[in-house]
Amino acid sequence: MQNKKLYTTRPSMPSYEEYAEQIRRIWDTAWLTNMGEQHNELEKAVAEYLGVEKMSMFVNGHMALEMVLQAFRLEGEVITTPFTFISTTHAIVRNGLTPVFCDIREEDFTIDASKIEELITERTTAIVPVHVYGNVCDIEAIERIADKYGLKVIYDAAHAFGVKYGGKGVGGFGDAAMFSFHATKVFNSIEGGAVVYHDDEVGKTLYNLKNFGIQSEEVIEGVGANAKMNEFQAAMGLCNLRHIDENIAKRRKLSEYYYELLEGCQGIRLQKPQPEVESNYAYMPALFEKSEFGVSRDVVYEQLREADIFARKYFYPLTSEAQCYRGIYDSSNTPVAKKISADVLALPLFADMTKEDIERVCSVIRSAGGLDAK
Ligand code: T4K
């Protein structure tokens, strides 16, 4: 019998009927895009869900990040981490800024704030930390440094939809935060993204950037591009938002089952829950330490593939090692990130997975490391 293919993630989707009902209004109004009624409804509903006041939605997370960096009119160097999706680094570079890579913390893979100050120069204007896998950065330490040196803090919160720190939505921290609503995320609008901001001037600039600078029919206030979310995306978002808590609860249960089956296995390290953090269970990263586990991450990856399980090496290579940046940045300056990137595998995790799926994944992993024989 053929195995069911298991991917690292699967989009959460409403029923076909629920989406069909939601998009019926688009036929009634013949309004497909350009800040339509579903767009506006979703923007309001998501801001409320995230517990933030000011939010601007975009066609995708990457454009949201590029445009918020642009909105702050940054120059020079930006301190960030290489342990992230390539989008973070590209957004910095495409704004004409120089990324300066800071190492990450072993325990949660976020930027190591104790190493930021030594990277600050006269050219530094901002910090772009990443709440990677939905893990919350050391927000207080980052804020202290930013205040001391007069730097902007723009969080890449692509993975952190619904995550709370100290009871507060993570979007509320820093000068701005970007969320991704991509199909592969905890919350999706097919593609989509948003920027949470605090300063109305930034909000106005973001609007101009995503809508050609158009303020009204005859007033073109700024030089902008097109990065608007359309009504079909917004309709998917409105449907998915109805089920978000239920989906996060399912992810939580599934994550706990992974812990039950893998925690304490020799050579496998799972991330620890963070204090004061309400997680969204976005990813299930596991580290495979070859000297203890017996085989490398790459061997586990291959054996899973042979069993039709498509785990992903998020995030390998480091963005600083991507082919397009090779020879420009030196990844030996971020040894922790380099090591984690070599050992990590994002195991399948999505709301509609079953416990049997997890048992299948863990059984291949155990057999790869010869755990049952040990
Ligand atoms: N910052 C960070 C830290 C990010 O992680 C991301 C995106 C961004 C910024 C930018 O946000 P967006 O502009 O994307 O909104 C995927 C996602 O496309 C990307 O959104 C995400 N991060 C990244 C971590 O993962 P790929 O290139 O790995 O995607 P792909 O096509 O290989 O899909 C991964 C798996 O998901 C597949 O094996 C199967 C499953 N899948 C995928 C799609 C698209 C489905 O089951 N259905 C689908 O429709 O980047």
Side-chain angles (χ1 to χ4, degrees):
M1 199 180 78
Q2 256 213 314
N3 275 328
K4 171 172 125 190
K5 287 190 177 10
L6 262 185
Y7 295 94
T8 198
T9 186
R10 270 303 197 217
S12 294
M13 293 169 80
S15 69
Y16 174 75
E17 290 73 22
E18 186 179 349
Y19 187 60
E21 185 53 35
Q22 190 72 37
I23 61 173
R24 187 190 300 277
R25 284 156 61 188
I26 302 176
W27 267 261
D28 294 343
T29 59
W31 195 271
L32 306 188
T33 185
N34 289 7
M35 278 53 100
E37 84 180 25
Q38 306 221 28
H39 169 281
N40 296 342
E41 191 182 331
L42 181 67
E43 198 166 67
K44 202 160 157 262
V46 169
E48 204 169 295
Y49 184 83
L50 296 178
V52 297
E53 256 181 53
K54 298 175 186 183
M55 197 191 84
S56 181
M57 284 199 314
F58 287 79
V59 66
N60 58 50
H62 180 81
M63 289 314 293
L65 187 58
E66 269 201 32
M67 290 187 169
V68 67
L69 293 176
Q70 196 180 347
F72 280 100
R73 300 187 174 84
L74 301 173
E75 289 177 354
E77 296 171 359
V78 170
I79 297 174
T80 185
T81 92
F83 189 72
T84 180
F85 189 54
I86 197 68
S87 163
T88 319
T89 303
H90 282 347
I92 294 169
V93 171
R94 282 170 52 81
N95 267 286
L97 300 161
T98 305
V100 174
F101 293 106
C102 183
D103 212 349
I104 58 172
R105 301 195 286 195
E106 267 209 71
E107 62 272 26
D108 60 18
F109 323 116
T110 65
I111 195 164
D112 186 342
S114 71
K115 295 184 180 146
I116 293 178
E117 275 193 271
E118 65 202 53
L119 298 173
I120 295 175
T121 70
E122 281 185 350
R123 287 173 42 77
T124 311
T125 52
I127 309 172
V128 176
V130 184
H131 295 308
V132 68
Y133 305 135
N135 292 340
V136 178
C137 298
D138 189 347
I139 285 174
E140 285 95 357
I142 293 168
E143 194 174 305
R144 268 196 306 275
I145 297 166
D147 286 350
K148 183 169 164 192
Y149 294 91
L151 306 176
K152 296 284 180 218
V153 179
I154 296 151
Y155 282 103
D156 180 334
H159 301 173
F161 191 91
V163 173
K164 287 190 183 145
Y165 175 61
K168 181 175 164 185
V170 283
F173 298 98
D175 294 282
M178 177 279 286
F179 290 90
S180 163
F181 307 162
H182 184 265
T184 55
K185 298 297 192 296
V186 167
F187 167 74
N188 85 77
S189 59
I190 308 175
E191 294 253 14
V195 171
V196 174
Y197 59 92
H198 309 288
D199 177 346
D200 286 329
E201 272 309 304
V202 170
K204 204 168 173 198
T205 310
L206 285 171
Y207 189 89
N208 280 337
L209 286 171
K210 74 176 175 187
N211 189 31
F212 309 105
I214 297 174
Q215 281 295 325
S216 67
E217 274 186 37
E218 296 181 14
V219 180
I220 315 295
E221 198 181 59
V223 181
N226 179 3
K228 291 163 280 149
M229 178 185 284
N230 70 50
E231 291 292 273
F232 288 87
Q233 292 175 285
M236 181 63 100
L238 284 167
C239 292
N240 280 332
L241 199 60
R242 289 183 200 122
H243 306 284
I244 184 75
D245 288 336
E246 181 196 327
N247 281 338
I248 292 177
K250 283 187 189 165
R251 285 173 172 276
R252 178 194 176 132
K253 278 220 162 74
L254 295 163
S255 301
E256 286 168 355
Y257 196 44
Y258 263 121
Y259 276 79
E260 210 180 289
L261 298 187
L262 293 181
E263 204 167 29
C265 288
Q266 198 182 332
I268 302 179
R269 186 157 76 78
L270 306 178
Q271 55 185 1
K272 296 223 160 44
Q274 294 182 292
E276 286 191 72
V277 170
E278 210 175 295
S279 175
N280 63 358
Y281 307 90
Y283 290 87
M284 183 66 213
L287 301 179
F288 296 90
E289 177 69 57
K290 186 179 172 193
S291 59
E292 284 180 44
F293 187 64
V295 295
S296 68
R297 179 275 310 271
D298 289 348
V299 170
V300 180
Y301 171 85
E302 285 304 334
Q303 295 205 4
L304 286 167
R305 277 183 86 87
E306 278 163 27
D308 283 327
I309 299 167
F310 301 92
R312 291 294 290 268
K313 298 177 193 175
Y314 293 142
F315 290 98
Y316 173 87
L318 294 176
T319 64
S320 52
E321 292 174 328
Q323 202 177 332
C324 55
Y325 296 129
R326 212 165 278 161
I328 306 177
Y329 309 110
D330 183 359
S331 60
S332 65
N333 295 333
T334 55
V336 177
K338 204 171 163 64
K339 174 84 179 89
I340 304 274
S341 163
D343 289 349
V344 75
L345 209 48
L347 304 179
L349 178 65
F350 48 93
D352 296 325
M353 247 182 126
T354 63
K355 282 181 112 179
E356 289 69 37
D357 292 334
I358 292 182
E359 284 160 11
R360 205 176 121 205
V361 176
C362 294
S363 141
V364 176
I365 290 173
R366 291 183 69 84
S367 121
L371 290 181
D372 298 321
K374 278 178 189 166

